[in-house]
Amino acid sequence: MASRLLAVAMLSVAAGCQGDEAQDSANMAVAEADAKSGCVTRFDGVTHCPTGAAELKSTEAGISVSGLRDAKSDGVASRFQRAASWSQTTGIHFGDNRGSLNLAARSGDQVVSTLQVSAGREPGSVQVTPNFTGAPGGSSYRMNVYRDGQLQGSTTNPAAQMIIFYNWWDFIRYLVAHADFFQIDIIIWKNGVAQMAEPSNVGACGWRLRADDRDFTVQLADGTTVSGDEVEFIEEIESGHYPYNLFTGIDVNASAKEFTILGETIVAGSK
């Protein structure tokens, strides 16, 4: 992504995006076995396998995913070697106001973070719920809102608090969505000024969602309303330490009429 780059280092950090390294080899073995059951390899370093009632087909455009009726079970599992960053561009047609999208980051068999996206109760609104597992009961998180790569507003929210975005659903009912999952070391802003992550927050997990040429509005914790075209959810680190750990997969489940993975990349982590 042009506006921000991530640099990753091997560190001992405060508790955050924790995973079980012992699961890495088992995870890849499962992915290899699944290759006999409808899995495809379309993008370098990533194996995609269907989950639930989903079916995958490699096409010129990317990977077409059909059979997405239940966002709790139907989708596609991306599996790869230990990574520090993941990015996926997806063309989605939800078809109606009942569609939803659920993402889960895994380290082996362990889910380290989730992100749920669905239509809100108010017309044109979208409900987004991030969840991070670095603390008992979940970690609090920081929400950063950007427009054209420039920070518009920021706020800290309790663990698993749902955020409502306005003026977005009519667009994302049929969209090209960009989703990222990453671990933090250094963030370089678009204006070229490098800013170190807070020392206590190095190694935290983060999700990023963005929409091309479309602004949303959202209310911050202090009641201020800001607009932007991109949002980040960054885990707040709790007390305690463990060795820096990476992740090995992303599950993307959806209830959608059409779903095509147009592109997917990972950044390998240090061993």
Side-chain angles (χ1 to χ4, degrees):
M1 178 179 174
S3 59
R4 287 174 300 283
L5 301 176
L6 296 175
V8 180
M10 185 70 172
L11 300 171
S12 178
V13 299
C17 191
Q18 185 172 7
D20 183 359
E21 294 186 30
Q23 294 291 335
D24 289 351
S25 59
N27 185 73
M28 294 308 297
V30 170
E32 292 173 1
D34 284 346
K36 300 177 181 180
S37 303
C39 300
V40 300
T41 301
R42 178 68 169 74
F43 304 106
D44 290 343
V46 183
T47 297
H48 294 88
C49 295
T51 60
E55 296 182 1
L56 309 184
K57 181 180 180 181
S58 183
T59 68
E60 184 176 349
I63 298 176
S64 176
V65 187
S66 59
L68 300 177
R69 294 184 290 272
D70 188 344
K72 295 180 180 180
S73 59
D74 303 338
V76 55
S78 299
R79 295 294 180 262
F80 35 79
Q81 297 288 348
R82 291 162 55 77
S85 178
W86 167 89
S87 181
Q88 184 181 92
T89 300
T90 308
I92 308 172
H93 184 188
F94 287 116
D96 54 35
N97 287 332
R98 295 173 295 177
S100 60
L101 184 68
N102 295 333
L103 298 95
R106 291 181 175 274
S107 178
D109 291 336
Q110 181 181 5
V111 174
V112 297
S113 183
T114 62
L115 188 71
Q116 299 177 335
V117 182
S118 62
R121 294 182 179 181
E122 298 184 37
S125 66
V126 177
Q127 298 177 169
V128 181
T129 305
N131 185 41
F132 301 97
T133 64
S139 304
S140 59
Y141 65 91
R142 188 80 175 170
M143 181 178 74
N144 300 319
V145 177
Y146 302 91
R147 184 195 292 118
D148 297 326
Q150 301 298 315
L151 184 66
Q152 303 299 304
S154 186
T155 188
T156 298
N157 298 305
Q161 177 171 302
M162 181 182 69
I163 304 296
I164 300 177
F165 296 84
Y166 298 92
N167 307 319
W168 221 9
W169 182 257
D170 287 340
F171 176 64
I172 71 167
R173 284 179 63 183
Y174 189 83
L175 81 163
V176 173
H178 307 275
D180 303 298
F181 182 75
F182 51 87
Q183 289 182 298
I184 296 175
D185 184 18
I186 302 172
I187 298 178
I188 303 177
W189 305 111
K190 187 176 182 180
N191 60 11
V193 178
Q195 297 190 9
M196 295 292 293
E198 292 291 334
S200 61
N201 216 39
V202 173
C205 293
W207 291 99
R208 180 187 297 120
L209 293 174
R210 59 193 187 276
D212 295 335
D213 302 321
R214 178 73 178 201
D215 281 3
F216 55 79
T217 60
V218 63
Q219 189 175 72
L220 305 183
D222 63 2
T224 303
T225 298
V226 298
S227 63
D229 56 16
E230 178 180 334
V231 61
E232 285 179 337
F233 304 102
I234 308 295
E235 180 183 21
E236 293 286 317
I237 294 297
E238 300 288 339
S239 60
H241 291 73
Y242 73 93
Y244 182 79
N245 213 326
L246 306 171
F247 58 99
T248 59
I250 302 285
D251 294 341
V252 181
N253 289 353
S255 172
K257 184 177 180 180
E258 296 177 15
F259 189 101
T260 302
I261 301 174
L262 302 173
E264 188 164 335
T265 60
I266 59 170
V267 175
S270 301
K271 297 291 187 180

